[in-house]
Each structure stands twice: as C-alpha cells, then as structure tokens.
C-alpha cells in the first residue's frame, strides 16, 4: 500500500511578477476527479483557506475522467498566469506517464509545484455485508473466482487503481473492476452494495466506517 500525497501545481512559466499583488481576481482550482472524493475534499478545504487568507475566491472546478489526466491536461493547457491551479497527486503526476502512452502533459516539465497539501494513508474497505469478517477471510474471497468480487476505482492510474492493483498483483488474483470518475461516486456505490470493495485515501472513509455503512480491513502505514 502507498502513502499518498496531494499537491498543488500550476502551469509553468507563470507571468506573475514577483512584486505584483496576487491574486487580483478569482483563481480556478481544478480537481481532476468527481465531487465528494478525497481529492475534492482536500481541495475544498485548501481553497477555502486560500480564499480567506488571500482575499480572493478559489473556485473549485471538477474536471473528471481518465484517472485524473483529463483535468490535469485541461490545467496544463490553461493560460500560465497563475489563475488556474490544479490539485494533483501520485496518480496524475506519478503513475499516469507509465500508463498513458499519449499523455498530453509532462508532470515534471509542464508544472510548477506550489506545495504539498496532504499525505493520506490508504484503507481497504468493503460493503458492510461483504461476507468476510477479517483480512484473512477477505483475501480468501479475493482468491476465490466463484465469489466474483467486484472492485471499484477512480480510473486507470488513479491512486485507488494503483493501490488495489498492487494488492491484487501481490495476491496473484484478478477481480472484476468498475471504473468511476472519482472515488466519491464509487463510495456511494460501495455503500449501496453495487460494488464489493476499494482501496482509497482515508479522507472520507472514516465517518462511513465509524457509522457502519462500510467496513475496513486494513490501513497503510505511511
Ligand atoms: N481517491 C481517488 C483516486 O483514487 C480520486 C478521488 O479523489 O476521487 O485517486
């Protein structure tokens, strides 16, 4: 399992002069996943803080698709004036180049990092009535083809994708997978019982685990 970092980036070659006041108008903060997921929540908390401390609105725009690469591509192609920034993470700026042959951005050359925002452990969570009482039984289910276990993730290259792929490859199993535009909508389906499990950042899972609408088997240790 991986320790995940979310970080803010902006397109390179920003025209902001050092002495000039910034920002003088609202800033768009692109979240490359659907609303309600970890990236979205972290971005909204961060954006609200920036709005308060910098005196301009930081407007979150969800541009989801292709494991986060659609939104980051949009940001990379925006005017590099500091008024479009993105919430990237290990998927969009780490895994994506290895998984997308025609990626339209270079994670190193096309962005200027602003800073690290969050480091988040990963939980393995399942629907509340998944028939496994502990990690050992959960692994046994994954290994049983007759169980037809269905895993949710946020698109190829997303953190939920890469972490669960690491898990299943280590176990030597293949699950049925369902790709979502973010793990916010995936979590809704996990709660609704349409999918069996996922591996995701802890951010919006704790309350659901505590409330019993899903259950957790394991946590990564950062
Ligand atoms: N947690 C997601 C991921 O797997 C993205 C999201 O925040 O919705 O990368």
């Amino acid at each position: 399992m991986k320790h995940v970092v979310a970080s803010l980036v902006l397109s390179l070659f920003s025209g902001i002069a050092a002495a000039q006041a910034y920002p003088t108008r609202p800033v768009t903060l692109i979240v490359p996943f659907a609303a309600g997921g970890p990236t979205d929540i972290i971005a909204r908390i961060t954006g609200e803080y920036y709005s308060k401390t910098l005196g301009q609105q930081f407007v979150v725009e969800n541009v989801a698709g292709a494991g986060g690469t659609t939104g980051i591509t949009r940001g990379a192609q925006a005017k590099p004036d500091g008024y479009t920034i993105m919430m990237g993470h290990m998927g969009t700026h780490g895994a994506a180049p290895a998984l997308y042959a025609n990626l339209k951005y270079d994670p190193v050359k096309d962005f200027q990092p602003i800073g690290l925002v969050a480091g988040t452990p990963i939980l393995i969570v399942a629907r509340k009535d998944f028939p496994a009482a502990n990690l050992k039984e959960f692994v046994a289910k994954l290994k049983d083809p007759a169980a037809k276990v269905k895993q949710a993730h946020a698109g190829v290259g997303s953190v939920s994708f890469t972490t669960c792929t690491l898990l299943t490859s280590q176990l030597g199993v293949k699950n049925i997978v369902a790709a979502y535009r973010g793990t916010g909508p995936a979590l809704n389906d996990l709660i609704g019982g349409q999918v069996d499990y996922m591996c995701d950042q802890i951010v919006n899972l704790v309350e659901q685990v505590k409330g019993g609408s899903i259950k957790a088997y394991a946590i990564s240790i950062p």
Side-chain angles (χ1 to χ4, degrees), residues 12 14 22 38 58 65 68-69 101 113 130 139 143 145 150 154 157 159 171 177 192 204 222:
L12 251 188
S14 165
Y22 168 87
F58 278 68
T69 60
F130 189 72
V139 167
K143 288 183 168 173
K150 197 167 174 188
V159 167
L171 295 174
V177 291
N204 53 346

Side-chain angles (χ1 to χ4, degrees), residues 4-198:
V4 176
V5 290
S7 55
L8 277 173
V9 288
L10 80 166
S11 306
L12 251 188
F13 309 120
S14 165
I16 309 165
Q20 199 179 315
Y22 168 87
T24 56
R25 57 185 168 83
V27 176
T28 298
L29 170 48
I30 294 179
V31 169
F33 295 101
T39 317
D40 182 68
I41 290 169
I42 291 168
R44 282 173 199 276
I45 293 168
T46 312
E48 201 181 308
Y49 178 76
Y50 285 160
S51 298
K52 271 191 201 135
T53 52
L54 298 174
Q56 286 288 342
Q57 282 278 304
F58 278 68
V59 183
V60 170
E61 196 182 324
N62 298 87
V63 184
T69 60
T70 304
I72 299 299
T73 301
R74 167 89 67 88
Q77 292 168 353
K79 198 171 169 200
D81 59 2
Y83 286 89
T84 303
I85 63 176
M86 290 141 268
M87 183 64 76
H89 70 3
M90 281 174 53
T92 57
H93 285 71
L99 294 165
Y100 289 87
N102 297 314
L103 195 64
K104 299 228 168 26
Y105 59 84
D106 181 320
V108 177
K109 291 190 188 141
D110 293 342
F111 306 94
Q112 177 70 51
I114 300 172
L116 284 184
V117 173
T120 54
I122 300 282
L123 283 183
I124 298 174
V125 287
R127 61 180 164 86
K128 64 175 185 300
D129 49 359
F130 189 72
N134 51 44
L135 186 61
K136 203 172 163 204
E137 288 181 21
F138 172 71
V139 167
K141 278 282 170 210
L142 292 195
K143 288 183 168 173
D144 175 8
K148 292 191 170 53
V149 178
K150 197 167 174 188
Q151 177 217 121
H153 64 68
V156 171
S158 66
V159 167
S160 46
F161 171 89
T162 50
T163 49
C164 258
T165 301
L166 180 63
L167 173 73
T168 53
S169 71
Q170 281 179 347
L171 295 174
V173 298
K174 274 210 182 317
N175 295 146
I176 303 162
V177 291
Y180 290 79
R181 294 167 73 78
T183 43
L187 178 60
N188 289 341
D189 273 9
L190 191 67
I191 293 167
Q194 285 91 336
V195 289
D196 294 314
Y197 85 103
M198 66 178 181

Side-chain angles (χ1 to χ4, degrees), residues 201-212:
Q201 292 107 311
I202 197 167
V203 180
N204 53 346
L205 300 175
V206 175
E207 288 308 311
Q208 303 295 343
V209 172
K210 279 186 182 164

